[in-house]
Each structure stands twice: as C-alpha cells, then as structure tokens.
Amino acid sequence: MAHDAPQATGPSKLVIRNIGLMLSGALEKPILDADTIVAENGKITGIGRAKDVNTEGATIIVDAHGTTVAPGLIDSHVHPVAGDWTPRQNQTNWIDSYLHGGVTTMISAGEVHMPGRPRDVVGLKAMAIFAQRAFWTLRPGGVKVHAGAPVIECEMVEDDFRELAAAGVKLLGEVGLGGVKDGPTARKMVGWARKYGIQSTIHTGGPSIPGSGLIDKDVVLEADTDVVGHINGGHTALPDDQIRCICEGCKRGLELVHNGNERSAL
Ligand SMILES: [Zn+2]
C-alpha cells in the first residue's frame, strides 16, 4: 500500500511534459498557457512551456501524450470511518477507488457511520480526535482526508470546543445528525466552535441515517453554520420556497451535491 512505501531517498525531480491542456482550478483564468509541469521533492516548482521551465536533471519524466492535466478535485462532504473502510456499503478501498474519479482531497462531514458511534461527550470527543489523528497519518492512495468532525450533542459545554480545538479538531460534523436539532442550541454551539476556529456545517432537509431529523429553513438560518450542507437534498430536499429562503437569508457557504435533487439545485 502506498502509505507504507518507504520514503524516497535523495532529491527527486518530476517532469510531466507534452500536456495538451492545463487547467488551473481558478475560475478567473481556467486555462494556463503551459505544457510542462516540474515538481521537485514532491512540490510543484514550475509550470509553463517546455522551453521556459527548467527540466534539467529530471529523475522521472512522464509523457502526457497531449492529454489534459487538472488539479485534484476536493469533495467537501464525505463520511469516512476508519482507514479505507466504510460499513455503509461494507466496502474496503473506497477512498482509493474514489481517487480514480479525480478526487485528491476529502473533507469529513462527520464520522457518523462508525458502528456503535458514541453519543456521550467524552466518547464523541475521543472519536473525533482519533479520526483527526488517524487520517492525518493515513493517505489512502495518496488522498488527503481532513477528518475528525464531531457531531454535537446537547450536553456539550463551551470548554469541550476549546478542548477539541486544542487537540487539533478543525471541523464539526453535520449539525442535526446528533441530539442537537433545534436552532437556539445549534446556534450557541456553532458560535463556540467558531470562537475556537472550528468550521461547522449543517445537515439540510429530510432525515438520512437513523437518528437524523428533518432540518428545515428556520433551523438552518438560526444555526448559522459556516456551510449549509447539501442544500438541494441528497435524500429528501426541502420544498423550493424553503431553499429560496435559505439562499436569500444566508450569508454562509451553500453546498450543492451532485447526488441531490437536480431540479432543486437549479
Ligand atoms: Zn447530511
């Protein structure tokens, strides 16, 4: 497995040449005037036309044969569990397989599919810290997984958020997948999370997994999370007028999902 491979010794210089189309990932300038990438010791040091970049001393040369090169995609909403295994479809190597779709970075919206997921405060904090640590160390297929996203429960106090942040937790799992399903409690805890630099997201719409509930526009707007998760559903989308309300009333990020309701997305 890739993550067990020994670290390469000595300097490396990768040259990818003969690239037909180079995408930047930036909407302002999506196409770059370049056919060559140079990466030294794992970091990109040059992008441009072959005659303009320094390709001397390459240790690996890849001929792209005129194909397109694009930055890796970021999936803003995944539910990792442990290693490259998910009990949801009882599948192993799903992250490694996902890489083949071009996704190189994943952001956890909560490790909610963990069998026997603890709901008590000590347990949920321990699980979040464990997930953050484990995925920081492990990169299945090279994919970077930002995990360790606790799902808030009513018994939590401000100090829990301070403690989580100090331990390296930077994300909240989807608000609404745990015991907190009301606007005022969610808003209070999201505020604590924000105070300590933890980014928050909320489950929007109908119930998905057992234990999740209907989160409507009033809860979404009051909770004021940094991201409004799957605003176009994924399972059951909110009615159109509620989605419109959120779009018009919310100043935070809106997440659209490809596996949601496409008509609602429009
Ligand atoms: Zn959700």
Side-chain angles (χ1 to χ4, degrees):
M1 290 161 73
H3 58 276
D4 291 331
Q7 292 291 305
T9 50
S12 70
K13 184 165 180 175
L14 166 72
V15 173
I16 306 173
R17 61 184 196 85
N18 199 16
I19 295 166
L21 177 68
M22 183 109 63
L23 302 179
S24 71
L27 287 174
E28 316 80 66
K29 192 173 187 288
I31 297 172
L32 298 175
D33 180 25
D35 60 10
T36 304
I37 297 174
V38 179
E40 291 175 75
N41 304 316
K43 290 222 164 108
I44 293 175
T45 53
I47 293 178
R49 291 281 158 199
K51 61 177 170 47
D52 301 324
V53 292
N54 179 8
T55 58
E56 220 165 285
T59 54
I60 306 169
I61 298 173
V62 175
D63 187 334
H65 293 291
T67 53
T68 298
V69 173
L73 302 176
I74 301 169
D75 188 329
S76 65
H77 191 134
V78 298
H79 293 293
V81 176
D84 202 353
W85 168 71
T86 174
R88 214 54 179 156
Q89 295 81 20
N90 194 21
Q91 198 191 351
T92 52
N93 301 324
W94 68 279
I95 297 174
D96 191 60
S97 299
Y98 210 6
L99 174 69
H100 297 184
V103 172
T104 56
T105 301
M106 295 180 168
I107 299 170
S108 174
E111 295 77 39
V112 289
H113 299 157
M114 173 66 84
R117 172 163 70 93
R119 308 292 179 119
D120 65 295
V121 177
V122 171
L124 75 88
K125 285 194 292 188
M127 197 181 86
I129 295 165
F130 159 74
Q132 188 275 331
R133 296 286 189 282
F135 281 105
W136 192 252
T137 310
L138 175 75
R139 283 195 178 195
V143 175
K144 187 191 290 176
V145 184
H146 295 279
V151 177
I152 55 174
E153 296 289 344
C154 297
E155 296 76 22
M156 293 179 83
V157 296
E158 178 174 343
D159 210 43
D160 293 318
F161 293 82
R162 185 197 55 74
E163 193 187 321
L164 283 164
V169 170
K170 295 186 166 61
L171 302 163
L172 275 196
E174 285 176 85
V175 173
L177 297 188
V180 177
K181 300 185 194 303
D182 67 289
T185 311
R187 187 183 189 88
K188 179 178 67 178
M189 293 189 181
V190 163
W192 289 336
R194 189 171 288 128
K195 177 174 172 184
Y196 296 105
I198 298 174
Q199 180 181 292
S200 55
T201 185
I202 192 164
H203 171 92
T204 310
S208 53
I209 62 170
S212 71
L214 166 69
I215 304 289
D216 66 8
K217 70 160 178 23
D218 296 328
V219 180
V220 170
L221 289 173
E222 181 154 25
D224 193 34
T225 51
D226 297 311
V227 177
V228 177
H230 50 70
I231 190 168
N232 59 319
H235 22 86
T236 313
L238 287 173
D240 290 355
D241 60 332
Q242 292 214 11
I243 293 176
R244 188 175 299 276
C245 261
I246 293 171
C247 291
E248 289 170 359
C250 177
K251 299 283 177 286
R252 308 290 181 184
L254 303 175
E255 180 187 72
L256 288 171
V257 289
H258 67 85
N259 54 338
N261 184 318
E262 291 182 8
R263 191 191 52 76
S264 299
L266 290 173

